[in-house]
Amino acid sequence: MLTIDFNRIQVNPGDTLLDLGCGEGRHTIGAYLSFPGAHIVGVDLSLKDLTTANQRLQEWQTDDVLAQGAQAQFICGDGFNLPFADHSFDHIICSEVLEHIPNYQSFFAELHRLLKPGGNLCLSVPRAWPERICWKLSDAYHEVEGGHVHIFKPADIHNLVTQFPYCARGQHGAHALHAPYWWLRCLFWREGEQLWPVRLYHKFLVWDLMQRPWLTRTLDKLLNPVMGKSVVFYYEKQQS
């Protein structure tokens, strides 16, 4: 399930792409499959998530995919101090990460250091009003270790990014049908994700992801501008 729309960025053979806070590798692997000849690096602090990401990557490395010439690797690293030179990457993805970072301004400064002038920056964060409902329904949702510590409005992200020389290239909502799942999950947090309303809605989301029926895809598209669980931002880095 990709949050970033890869159709909005042009990644050429030989380009470098960083997926910062890659988790279990969904965008890293998605980029590996989508951009022949690119060099893709996923970075995360969690060794457990990176182990899962490597396993998933190996499952996709068929002869046909390998023939496309893309390269992907996963690295365990601290997003505040990454082992890359200035301007190492043509494109950077940072999806559903900033809301977890107390000092997100310093985190973003490191991200900015790594992106080449003219490069694409793709960010996503949870939409503010669905996120506030989650916080009201469950303290544990955002108080667990590694939970969400910020709620961002679009203006907050724009102000963060444009203190540096960036040009906005667009934004959109994503995963509207997932917002009710998280409201259910928070409402029944103590009972757990196996409680029948949560379990059934999760099965519906998996069915929708695999089958992609016209009705739910249309509904998701119509609802994304107002209740997409995530908001995605696209910027281009300008010359300093």
Side-chain angles (χ1 to χ4, degrees):
M1 186 186 73
L2 299 179
T3 303
I4 307 301
D5 182 357
F6 286 160
N7 292 320
R8 289 177 177 250
I9 57 175
Q10 182 177 345
V11 179
N12 299 312
D15 280 3
T16 52
L17 184 150
L18 173 65
D19 181 11
L20 183 53
C22 66
E24 296 182 348
R26 60 193 177 112
H27 284 105
T28 304
I29 296 171
Y32 172 70
L33 298 173
S34 300
F35 303 127
H39 304 274
I40 301 138
V41 180
V43 174
D44 204 275
L45 267 178
S46 171
L47 285 171
K48 179 181 177 182
D49 285 351
L50 292 175
T51 298
T52 300
N54 271 304
Q55 292 170 348
R56 289 179 174 174
L57 177 62
Q58 291 172 17
E59 293 171 359
W60 284 102
Q61 290 178 324
T62 63
D63 291 341
D64 289 343
V65 172
L66 291 171
Q68 295 179 4
Q71 300 176 28
Q73 65 180 124
F74 292 102
I75 295 174
C76 186
D78 181 353
F80 290 94
N81 185 25
L82 291 166
F84 306 112
D86 294 357
H87 307 155
S88 292
F89 294 94
D90 297 289
H91 317 274
I92 294 182
I93 292 171
C94 187
S95 180
E96 311 299 298
V97 176
L98 293 177
E99 67 273 14
H100 297 272
I101 309 296
N103 185 12
Y104 64 88
Q105 295 90 345
S106 295
F107 184 90
F108 183 81
E110 176 70 352
L111 181 158
H112 170 72
R113 178 184 73 82
L114 297 176
L115 185 61
K116 295 178 182 179
N120 292 302
L121 171 64
C122 310
L123 300 172
S124 77
V125 295
R127 188 184 295 272
W129 75 262
E131 182 74 356
R132 288 195 184 97
I133 292 176
C134 289
W135 284 44
K136 288 183 180 297
L137 290 172
S138 172
D139 291 335
Y141 167 79
H142 63 93
E143 291 178 352
V144 295
E145 183 178 356
H148 297 182
V149 295
H150 299 288
I151 297 177
F152 291 106
K153 297 178 181 178
D156 298 327
I157 297 299
H158 187 68
N159 291 337
L160 170 69
V161 175
T162 56
Q163 65 180 307
F164 299 95
Y166 284 87
C167 178
R169 294 302 187 196
Q171 71 179 64
H172 62 83
H175 314 316
L177 298 182
H178 289 246
Y181 169 79
W182 284 104
W183 296 336
L184 284 171
R185 184 73 179 86
C186 290
L187 181 63
F188 300 111
W189 191 272
R190 292 184 179 179
E191 291 82 356
E193 59 188 351
Q194 293 305 313
L195 191 70
W196 70 266
V198 184
R199 187 176 71 253
L200 286 179
Y201 199 90
H202 183 267
K203 286 184 177 180
F204 161 72
L205 292 178
V206 172
W207 171 81
D208 176 60
L209 179 64
M210 300 302 295
Q211 301 298 323
R212 302 188 66 82
W214 174 86
L215 179 61
T216 56
R217 291 298 85 216
T218 301
L219 183 62
D220 192 63
K221 184 177 181 179
L222 291 173
L223 291 176
N224 273 335
V226 293
M227 65 173 285
K229 183 67 171 68
S230 299
V231 185
V232 190
F233 305 84
Y234 302 87
Y235 292 91
E236 180 180 311
K237 184 175 180 180
Q238 308 296 292
Q239 296 288 342
S240 299

